[in-house]
């Protein structure tokens, strides 16, 4: 039964080949997986981007770029526990340097997704120490505070307030139609 045992491999190779062809990544480079993952993530194909990151990480388990992209995709997919696991891996592979705010924002976002709002605020605060005007950190901190029931503190964050009021007004307009 050699055909049956080879079936999975044939399907994977076909899937991978089609994926790379659709996004226009040529197999010119030795490992086009990170290029494919990036292109797929930009197109909103997050599951496929995670697949490509996994392929890249199989070839190079310490590829910080693939780990980082995978964390972003996992968070966006709502797979927060997995994102936290890969953040731990990223920190082992590449210890956080001063000015590197990605691990703080990624961890805060994942914790917020898990409903651990107060804990997530601490990570956003730490990121804001490094960059006080960082838009993502401010908006996420406002979201975490709001979800934790600390509405006044959330609304004190001007950027969050603008975002919140803007979305609320947009929702009202949709309901009026």
């Amino acid at each position: 039964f050699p055909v049956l045992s080879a079936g999975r491999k044939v399907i994977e190779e076909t899937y991978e080949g089609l994926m790379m062809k659709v996004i226009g990544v040529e197999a010119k480079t030795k490992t086009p997986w990170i290029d494919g993952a990036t292109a797929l993530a930009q197109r909103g194909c997050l599951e496929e981007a995670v697949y490509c990151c996994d392929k890249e990480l199989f070839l190079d388990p310490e590829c910080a770029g693939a780990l980082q992209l995978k964390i972003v995709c996992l968070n966006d997919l709502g797979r927060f526990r997995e994102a936290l696991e890969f953040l731990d891996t990223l920190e082992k592979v590449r210890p956080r340097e001063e000015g590197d705010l990605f691990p703080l924002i990624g961890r805060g976002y994942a914790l917020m997704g898990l409903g651990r709002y107060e804990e997530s605020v601490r990570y956003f605060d730490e990121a804001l120490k490094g960059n006080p005007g960082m838009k993502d950190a401010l908006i996420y901190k406002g979201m975490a505070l709001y979800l934790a029931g600390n509405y006044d503190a959330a609304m004190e964050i001007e950027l969050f307030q603008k975002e919140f009021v803007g979305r609320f007004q947009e929702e009202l307009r949709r309901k009026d139609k």
Side-chain angles (χ1 to χ4, degrees):
F1 293 73
V3 173
L4 292 176
S5 63
R8 180 181 171 94
K9 185 174 181 181
V10 169
I11 290 170
E12 278 186 12
E13 287 174 358
T14 303
Y15 174 66
E16 292 168 3
L18 283 170
M19 196 177 353
M20 293 300 171
K21 187 175 181 181
V22 166
I23 58 175
V25 174
E26 299 291 326
K28 294 176 193 169
T29 61
K30 184 177 147 197
T31 57
W33 295 112
I34 192 64
D35 297 336
T38 303
L40 287 161
Q42 289 170 344
R43 292 182 179 197
C45 302
L46 302 180
E47 291 285 355
E48 292 81 0
V50 168
Y51 179 87
C52 289
C53 287
D54 286 339
K55 289 295 212 174
E56 183 73 26
L57 291 167
F58 177 78
L59 298 169
D60 179 5
E62 296 189 354
C63 179
L67 285 166
Q68 202 164 314
L69 182 56
K70 183 172 182 170
I71 291 162
V72 169
C73 292
L74 290 172
N75 268 338
D76 286 351
L77 287 165
R79 293 164 56 184
F80 305 116
R81 282 185 185 15
E82 289 175 79
L84 288 173
E85 289 173 22
F86 282 96
L87 276 158
D88 292 341
T89 303
L90 178 64
E91 289 175 351
K92 288 175 191 163
V93 167
R94 185 193 73 198
R96 194 170 78 79
E97 297 174 13
E98 190 174 330
D100 180 13
L101 304 179
F102 175 82
L104 297 171
I105 298 298
R107 192 169 296 279
Y109 189 89
L111 290 167
M112 183 173 58
L114 291 171
R116 294 162 56 184
Y117 307 122
E118 291 85 3
E119 196 177 346
S120 71
V121 168
R122 289 195 298 266
Y123 285 95
F124 298 134
D125 282 340
E126 188 66 30
L128 289 166
K129 285 180 190 172
N131 182 351
M134 186 177 199
K135 183 180 178 180
D136 288 347
L138 288 166
I139 290 173
Y140 294 155
K141 178 182 177 182
M143 286 173 57
L145 288 167
Y146 190 86
L147 292 168
N150 196 344
Y151 309 121
D152 292 339
M155 289 303 175
E156 287 176 14
I157 301 171
E158 187 177 335
L159 203 52
F160 173 75
Q161 184 183 33
K162 284 180 186 176
E163 186 78 18
F164 182 83
V165 170
R167 288 179 190 243
F168 183 72
Q169 288 173 335
E170 187 179 307
E171 190 63 32
L172 286 175
R173 276 190 227 113
R174 270 192 260 163
K175 286 183 178 184
D176 286 344
K177 289 182 180 180

